[in-house]
């Protein structure tokens, strides 16, 4: 047979094989999920999960307490730089290992074969707890927009509009459960229909932003007026009681908290085409977009919010509903609230999407109770049972708001701590264990790799310290941040699971080594024959 015939035969064989499926098989997995999505869906998974406009509305007031407007905007600039570097580090390994539930695989492979299982267990437990908590919290955030209208219209609620009123908390809980059901329901939709959900989600976040950008300043100008540039850029405030330096650093709780969850693009990698490029690109672009638009939204709100005395006197669960009423009037503000509710609902939907892929992946590896059922995929390639697991646990977490005023917010903080810890652990392992691995990545950092690993590690260590720190001083039973306790419990559970789970049951050594060889461009000889044929083609060239 001539050389030309060999080349033609090999080329036909290569073109007949789905390269995404081939890469997945080389990493040790078979294609089970549908693979019909593209860059828009990958970008949307992270961009809408982060939901910059909704996140800014939710936690801006914490930033104002910690340092005031000057700390808020300056900390945001710093955060954009360092979170972009972190995203580049995560995108690098995502490109080499584009798998569902990828973050715990990234941590495992970053540690190298010897310690892979240990760090895989730890990050898997961290991430599962984080994504379930985010879904529950976002459902409650959505409910807060609705109940805040009662404060706007001065409705006389039995016992008062206060978190100290158990009847008030019960109403918020019931609404939160309802919004969770709606977002869960959307995650049962077929993949083709769900593509429309992505488009609508991105669209509603953008509409939300531009309505605020155009309508709110016009209304503020005609009512209580803008804050001065001096107030916005130079005014400081200490509402935490912390020492001045730490009070300023606590503003990072607001700015860095907006970026937790950008790895969602990686979790849907097995459902996107050209995943080794698309997933990493989704991570980077969503972080950049969140940073740019989030900073613009922050400046907008700093100029458009009333003076701090008025802001801190607002008593609604979502104070922005009252701010909209002050600026736009009670009637028109309802429209802005509806848009905010839709934006928040779609963010919850994307959080459930990403979290369910993580749970599916862990179940596929066989470590969870009922793994066979949880890891089962529907006929159209959807892990719907994993979605059901999210629903069950998120529903239970929402119930913690009934007996306690602070338990649920502590759970949220622990979720943020877990996510940031994973973002910091991966570059630490890359810096110390595998600094020269994963050169097949389409986003390989080259000479910038080790400096970026070190910077990402130190940055996320700082954010970790902020997130486990008490937010109000002096510290007492009411102000103690239980996030460190919850995070410690989750970590101990992960270590215990690693210790008692047989090595052959989850992240088997041969599977770890196979994935590492594939990510380094050295797939096993017994993976598909097409890999051998490709090598023959290279020799012929």
């Amino acid at each position: 047979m001539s050389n030309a015939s060999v080349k033609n035969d090999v080329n036909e064989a290569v073109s007949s094989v789905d390269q995404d499926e081939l890469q997945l098989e080389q990493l040790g997995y078979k294609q089970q999920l549908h693979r019909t999505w593209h860059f828009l869906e990958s970008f949307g998974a992270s961009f809408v999960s982060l939901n910059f406009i909704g996140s800014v509305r939710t936690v801006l007031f914490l930033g104002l307490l910690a340092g005031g407007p000057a700390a808020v905007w300056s900390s945001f600039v710093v955060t954009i730089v360092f979170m972009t570097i972190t995203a580049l580090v995560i995108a690098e390994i995502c490109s080499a290992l584009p798998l569902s539930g990828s973050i715990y695989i990234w941590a495992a492979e970053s540690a190298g074969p010897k310690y892979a299982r240990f760090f895989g267990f730890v990050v898997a437990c961290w991430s599962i707890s984080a994504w379930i908590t985010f879904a529950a919290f976002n459902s409650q955030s959505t409910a807060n927009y609705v109940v805040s209208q009662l404060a706007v219209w001065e409705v006389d609620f039995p016992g008062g509009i206060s978190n100290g009123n158990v009847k008030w908390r019960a109403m918020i809980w019931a609404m939160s459960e309802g919004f969770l059901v709606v977002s869960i329901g959307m995650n049962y939709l077929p993949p083709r229909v769900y593509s429309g959900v992505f488009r609508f989600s991105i669209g509603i976040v953008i509409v939300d932003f531009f309505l605020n950008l155009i309508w709110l300043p016009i209304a503020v100008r005609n009512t209580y007026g803008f804050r001065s540039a001096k107030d916005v850029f130079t005014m400081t405030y200490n509402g935490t009681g912390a020492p001045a330096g730490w009070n300023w650093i606590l503003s990072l709780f607001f700015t860095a908290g907006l970026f937790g969850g950008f790895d969602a693009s990686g979790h849907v990698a097995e459902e996107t085409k050209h995943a080794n490029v698309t997933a990493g690109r989704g991570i980077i672009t969503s972080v950049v977009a969140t940073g740019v638009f989030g900073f613009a939204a922050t400046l907008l709100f700093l100029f458009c919010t009333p003076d701090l005395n008025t802001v801190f006197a607002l008593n609604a669960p979502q104070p922005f509903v009252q701010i909209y009423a002050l600026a736009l009037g009670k009637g028109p503000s309802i429209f802005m609230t509806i848009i905010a509710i839709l934006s928040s609902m779609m963010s919850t939907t994307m959080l459930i999407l990403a979290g369910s892929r993580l749970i599916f992946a862990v179940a596929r590896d066989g470590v969870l109770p009922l793994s066979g059922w949880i890891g089962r995929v529907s006929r159209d390639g959807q892990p719907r049972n994993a979605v059901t697991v999210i629903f069950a646990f998120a529903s239970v977490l929402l119930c913690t708001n009934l007996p306690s005023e602070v338990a649920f917010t502590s759970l949220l903080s622990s979720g943020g701590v877990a996510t940031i810890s994973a973002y910091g652990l991966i570059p630490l392992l890359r810096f110390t264990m595998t600094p020269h691995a994963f050169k097949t990545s389409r986003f390989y950092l080259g000479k910038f790799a080790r400096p970026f690993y070190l910077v990402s590690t130190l940055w996320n260590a700082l954010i970790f310290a902020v997130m486990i720190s008490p937010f109000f001083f002096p510290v007492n039973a009411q102000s103690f941040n239980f996030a460190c306790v919850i995070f410690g419990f989750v970590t101990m559970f992960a270590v215990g699971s690693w210790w008692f789970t047989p090595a052959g049951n989850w992240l088997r050594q041969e599977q770890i080594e196979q994935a590492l060889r594939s990510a380094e461009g050295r797939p096993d000889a017994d993976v598909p024959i097409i890999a051998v044929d490709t090598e023959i083609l290279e020799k012929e060239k």
Side-chain angles (χ1 to χ4, degrees):
M1 184 179 291
S2 67
N3 289 345
S5 298
V6 171
K7 290 180 181 179
N8 290 336
D9 290 342
V10 172
N11 284 332
E12 289 176 6
V14 171
S15 64
S16 67
V17 175
D18 180 5
Q19 293 302 307
D20 285 312
E21 186 173 343
L22 172 61
Q23 183 180 26
L24 188 60
E25 190 169 354
Q26 290 173 343
L27 291 172
Y29 297 95
K30 292 184 179 180
Q31 184 74 46
Q32 292 178 271
L33 303 177
H34 72 93
R35 197 182 284 274
T36 57
W37 292 339
H38 300 83
F39 170 71
L40 181 68
E41 289 84 359
S42 180
F43 168 78
S46 290
F47 179 71
V48 181
S49 291
L50 297 175
N51 188 9
F52 71 92
I53 185 71
S55 297
V56 170
R57 269 193 302 250
T58 300
V59 291
L60 175 65
F61 305 101
L62 294 179
L64 292 174
L65 284 169
V72 166
W73 73 262
S74 58
S75 294
F76 210 123
V77 173
V78 174
T79 299
I80 290 173
V81 173
F82 289 110
M83 275 302 184
T84 300
I85 292 174
T86 301
L88 289 169
V89 171
I90 299 298
E92 179 189 48
I93 195 167
C94 174
S95 176
L97 298 164
L99 297 166
S100 289
S102 38
I103 193 164
Y104 75 89
I105 297 292
W106 300 338
E109 299 295 343
S110 294
K114 185 175 180 180
Y115 300 104
R117 287 188 72 254
F118 175 78
F119 287 107
F121 265 96
V122 170
V123 173
C125 289
W126 286 352
S127 299
I128 289 174
S129 65
W131 285 99
I132 293 176
T133 302
F134 289 156
F137 175 79
N138 235 50
S139 298
Q140 181 168 314
S141 296
T142 309
N144 284 342
Y145 284 104
V146 178
V147 299
S148 293
Q149 283 292 333
L150 299 180
V152 169
W153 294 94
E154 300 177 355
V155 174
D156 186 17
F157 188 84
I161 298 175
S162 168
N163 281 336
N165 179 5
V166 67
K167 293 181 180 178
W168 175 256
R169 296 202 307 272
M171 182 179 67
I172 294 176
W173 165 78
M175 288 187 178
S176 302
E177 296 283 7
F179 284 119
L180 177 63
V181 168
V182 173
S183 292
I184 288 289
M186 282 190 276
N187 274 279
Y188 291 135
L189 294 173
R192 288 187 178 181
V193 177
Y194 206 90
S195 291
V197 174
F198 279 109
R199 287 165 172 77
F200 177 79
S201 299
I202 296 171
I204 199 67
V205 170
I206 292 174
V207 168
D208 190 1
F209 172 65
F210 279 103
L211 271 177
N212 280 277
L213 186 65
I214 297 169
W215 195 8
L216 183 60
I218 294 173
V220 167
R221 182 181 180 183
N222 295 329
T223 51
Y224 53 76
F226 298 110
R227 298 298 98 224
S228 68
K230 182 179 179 180
D231 282 352
V232 169
F233 293 111
T234 66
M235 183 179 181
T236 61
Y237 187 83
N238 189 334
T240 67
W246 190 248
N247 175 68
W248 187 285
I249 291 175
L250 283 174
S251 64
L252 294 173
F253 186 92
F254 158 62
T255 58
L258 301 181
F259 292 85
F262 65 72
D263 52 304
S265 296
H267 294 308
V268 298
E270 288 184 32
E271 296 163 89
T272 54
K273 296 185 177 181
H274 309 295
N276 62 339
V277 175
T278 303
R281 187 179 294 167
I283 287 173
I284 295 169
T285 54
S286 64
V287 168
V288 172
T290 295
V292 172
F293 289 114
F295 182 66
T298 299
L299 284 181
L300 170 71
F301 290 148
L302 289 177
F303 276 105
C304 290
T305 52
D307 63 90
L308 293 185
N309 290 331
T310 302
V311 167
F312 295 139
L314 300 175
N315 64 339
Q318 174 43 268
F320 257 99
V321 173
Q322 290 175 301
I323 291 175
Y324 288 145
L326 290 173
L328 305 169
K330 292 182 178 180
S333 71
I334 294 176
F335 181 74
M336 290 292 287
T337 301
I338 291 173
I339 296 297
I341 289 170
L342 290 174
S343 176
S344 184
M345 283 176 56
M346 302 319 296
S347 178
T348 307
T349 303
M350 293 300 153
L351 290 168
I352 294 168
L353 172 77
S356 63
R357 273 51 180 181
L358 171 66
I359 291 174
F360 155 77
V362 175
R364 176 177 61 181
D365 285 338
V367 74
L368 294 178
L370 303 176
S371 287
W373 178 78
I374 296 172
R376 190 178 302 162
V377 174
S378 65
R379 291 183 178 180
D380 56 2
Q382 293 275 72
R384 293 195 175 117
N385 293 344
V387 174
T388 303
V389 171
I390 293 271
F391 173 59
F393 282 93
S395 296
V396 172
L397 283 180
L398 283 171
C399 293
T400 61
N401 195 44
L402 292 172
S404 170
E405 299 177 50
V406 299
F408 190 72
T409 54
S410 294
L411 285 170
L412 169 68
S413 297
S414 67
V417 169
T419 302
I420 291 298
S421 298
Y423 291 169
L425 178 62
I426 290 171
L428 174 62
L429 295 174
R430 295 285 284 119
F431 185 80
T432 57
M433 302 290 195
T434 54
H436 305 296
F438 311 116
K439 292 183 179 179
T440 60
S441 172
R442 298 295 292 273
F443 297 91
Y444 186 61
L445 295 173
K447 64 182 180 180
F448 296 104
R450 299 202 72 172
F452 278 14
Y453 300 155
L454 180 59
V455 167
S456 298
T457 300
L458 296 175
W459 165 253
N460 286 284
L462 174 62
I463 303 306
F464 175 86
V466 168
M467 288 191 168
I468 64 171
S469 167
F471 196 78
F472 295 103
F473 293 79
V475 180
N476 52 39
Q478 285 71 40
S479 63
F480 181 73
N481 186 353
F482 286 92
C484 57
V485 177
I486 298 170
F487 177 75
F489 174 79
V490 172
T491 303
M492 287 190 294
F493 176 82
V495 173
S497 299
W498 164 76
W499 182 265
F500 290 106
T501 301
N505 285 16
W506 194 68
L507 286 182
R508 300 181 308 278
Q509 189 68 24
E510 60 271 21
Q511 182 183 6
I512 292 167
E513 293 177 357
Q514 178 178 334
L516 186 59
R517 282 193 294 269
S518 178
E520 292 179 347
R522 300 182 291 107
D524 276 343
D526 60 347
V527 259
I529 187 67
I530 190 64
V532 178
D533 286 345
T534 306
E535 292 175 7
I536 294 174
L537 176 59
E538 293 298 323
K539 290 179 180 179
E540 289 294 333
K541 289 181 179 179

